[in-house]
Amino acid sequence: MRVRTLILLLFLLAVASPAAAELAVPADFQVMGVVTRADHQHYRDVPFDVPAGVERITVILSYDKANKTVIDMGVRDPMAFRGWSGGTRDRFTISPSDASPGYLAGAIPAGRWRVVLGVPNARAGSRSTYTVSVFFDRGKKRKATAAIAGPPLNDAPGWYRGDLHMHDANSDGSCLSQSGKRVPCPLFRTVEAAARAGLDFVAVTDHNTVAHFGALRELQPWFDRLLLIPGVEVTTFGGHANIFAPSHVVDFRVGGKQVPTVAALERKVAEAGAIMSINHPALPSGELCMGCGWTWPATDYAGITAIEAVNGTMAEGPLAGIGFWYARLNEGHRLTGIGGSDNHDPDMSPGKAPIGRPTTVVHAESLSTSAIIDGIRGGNVFIDVDGSRDRLLELQAVSGTASAAMGQTLPLSGSLELKVHVVGMSGGNIQVIANGSPLGALRAPVTMADQWSSFALDRAMACGWISATVLAGGHPKLIGNPIYIRCA
Ligand SMILES: [Zn+2]
Ligand SMILES: [Zn+2]
């Protein structure tokens, strides 16, 4: 029996099982077995050893379901029972922050764990082979990520619309209860409001906690048209920054012994596989709004991906983040401008921004967490200030035979042309921006629902970065990201 198991194991190592192929990575542990009538209404343990430092365990069970064989699944850690999914699911995941429904999130102790298999039915004469595959996430090796987020909600490359900043009961979000009392607002109400706003993705960013990640995991399968990105608003005494899709909680105590500087925070964010965006940098600080503005001196921007240029309704004036963002671009940093509603009440208290206002529109390879994050990194992104469902702003800079979209670099050779594609802004105006300043002569009315305009730029003005804003009634409505112009 033991030899046969070994041969089967060697066979499996040579030929990846369908479950393992789905993850596109080899399992850290895999075992195959057979269920026969002898297992009918019996339990069987599949032990596996977890080394120290594992941050997440994902288990996939696949088996031959012919002849009505059913195999239930659960798991024990070295000390305690951690969950059961019966015959309902073929996989589960457990980490300190979150777990599949039916499983307990919590510390991952090293030692001997056991997948518990139960067999409620195996007919006489039946023979069902099964494979248990175990995947470990640790350090920068995040094998199980694909199983956690699932496949993309949409495989097509394109523009995806989302809100990257909001709060719920897991921090300071609140709404009115059944009887009209203000109470911590359950996460599902926030996500429902985002779905009603027609968004493709949201990042839920509670302050300094990952306690909401488990609930997101429960909600995601039902919200199969709305990508839920786990986020955290890292809230420090000298400013706030959103981090998107960290694999674990990140110590936020900047200025303390554990995280002496913002650069140290950036390293911890990178270790967690996340990207970082400075929030509402131009808000006041002090007793009026404690730690709201970005006041950390000598910030190292190398580990920062984005700036929240528009927070809620603040798209212009001294409180908007645009001036701060443009100033950093002028210093030579490459930072994507994004927006976020910072919604704290999905029922929208008067004067506050509803979920989806503003919307950040990201060109991404697919609708998945990794693709949206890559899209933000890439910078082909614009901010839709009113959170329309259909407005579009595309930029293409052309010089000689080279061309570049937002977020890209264009080497200048001879003349420079900026092509601007605007949808849904009839009656507005396109304003070309160079190095943070609107170019007075380069402004054109939008007369069509779907319009391409072209601008010739002066070489001296264009070196650095260029962009465009679309205004209506004098107010910015679509805010583009930079195209970086490299002059020899
Ligand atoms: Zn904040
Ligand atoms: Zn916030």
Side-chain angles (χ1 to χ4, degrees), residues 197-259:
L199 298 174
D200 299 311
F201 64 89
V202 286
V204 182
T205 52
D206 282 305
H207 294 284
N208 292 343
T209 183
V210 295
H212 52 300
F213 286 15
L216 289 174
R217 187 174 289 286
E218 183 191 6
L219 294 174
Q220 181 68 87
W222 196 86
F223 289 94
D224 55 0
R225 293 199 299 256
L226 173 64
L227 177 71
L228 306 180
I229 298 173
V232 176
E233 184 167 14
V234 175
T235 306
T236 77
F237 297 138
H240 300 180
N242 275 345
I243 63 172
F244 302 119
S247 62
H248 53 253
V249 69
V250 170
D251 194 333
F252 55 88
R253 294 170 292 175
V254 176
K257 213 194 306 174
Q258 316 298 333
V259 196

Side-chain angles (χ1 to χ4, degrees), residues 149-150 152 220 227-230 244-245 366-375:
Q220 181 68 87
L227 177 71
L228 306 180
I229 298 173
F244 302 119
S366 69
L367 183 54
S368 67
T369 297
S370 58
I372 294 296
I373 284 173
D374 286 349

Side-chain angles (χ1 to χ4, degrees), residues 13-316:
L13 288 172
V15 183
S17 73
E22 207 179 309
L23 278 192
V25 286
D28 291 278
F29 170 84
Q30 195 168 58
V31 70
M32 194 176 187
V34 177
V35 161
T36 66
R37 178 68 179 178
D39 300 292
H40 180 74
Q41 298 191 349
H42 285 76
Y43 295 100
R44 179 185 292 195
D45 279 359
V46 177
F48 62 98
D49 290 322
V50 175
V54 169
E55 294 177 4
R56 178 180 294 280
I57 294 173
T58 301
V59 175
I60 299 179
L61 167 69
S62 59
Y63 67 97
D64 179 359
K65 293 178 181 163
N67 297 308
K68 299 234 178 233
T69 295
V70 175
I71 304 180
D72 293 341
M73 175 168 61
V75 74
R76 298 181 60 87
D77 73 15
M79 276 87 75
F81 198 66
R82 292 292 287 268
W84 184 252
S85 48
T88 308
R89 276 191 274 283
D90 69 347
R91 65 189 62 194
F92 64 81
T93 187
I94 291 180
S95 78
S97 61
D98 59 87
S100 301
Y103 291 82
L104 295 172
I108 306 287
R112 178 146 291 192
W113 288 54
R114 291 162 201 281
V115 174
V116 181
L117 301 179
V119 183
N121 192 50
R123 284 181 179 173
S126 68
R127 193 172 183 285
S128 175
T129 57
Y130 66 81
T131 306
V132 173
S133 306
V134 182
F135 301 83
F136 298 143
D137 283 9
R138 56 184 144 169
K140 293 206 166 155
K141 287 204 189 96
R142 283 187 206 99
K143 295 182 166 196
T145 303
I148 296 154
L153 273 54
N154 187 334
D155 281 324
W159 291 104
Y160 290 106
R161 315 179 83 87
D163 186 342
L164 290 163
H165 191 164
M166 63 196 66
H167 301 272
D168 62 275
N170 289 284
S171 55
D172 50 355
S174 67
C175 54
L176 298 183
S177 70
Q178 283 185 308
S179 56
K181 286 198 284 281
R182 187 150 287 277
V183 296
C185 200
L187 176 63
F188 80 90
R189 300 210 60 246
T190 295
V191 176
E192 278 184 332
R196 277 199 302 278
L199 298 174
D200 299 311
F201 64 89
V202 286
V204 182
T205 52
D206 282 305
H207 294 284
N208 292 343
T209 183
V210 295
H212 52 300
F213 286 15
L216 289 174
R217 187 174 289 286
E218 183 191 6
L219 294 174
Q220 181 68 87
W222 196 86
F223 289 94
D224 55 0
R225 293 199 299 256
L226 173 64
L227 177 71
L228 306 180
I229 298 173
V232 176
E233 184 167 14
V234 175
T235 306
T236 77
F237 297 138
H240 300 180
N242 275 345
I243 63 172
F244 302 119
S247 62
H248 53 253
V249 69
V250 170
D251 194 333
F252 55 88
R253 294 170 292 175
V254 176
K257 213 194 306 174
Q258 316 298 333
V259 196
T261 59
V262 173
L265 174 66
E266 290 168 26
R267 281 194 293 279
K268 287 183 183 295
V269 170
E271 279 163 20
I275 61 168
M276 182 165 157
S277 167
I278 294 180
N279 294 344
H280 44 69
L283 283 188
S285 278
E287 288 188 353
L288 198 59
C289 192
M290 284 165 275
C292 292
W294 190 259
T295 56
W296 289 112
T299 300
D300 178 0
Y301 285 90
I304 294 170
T305 301
I307 303 288
E308 190 182 63
V310 180
N311 175 278
T313 55
M314 293 177 286
E316 56 194 315

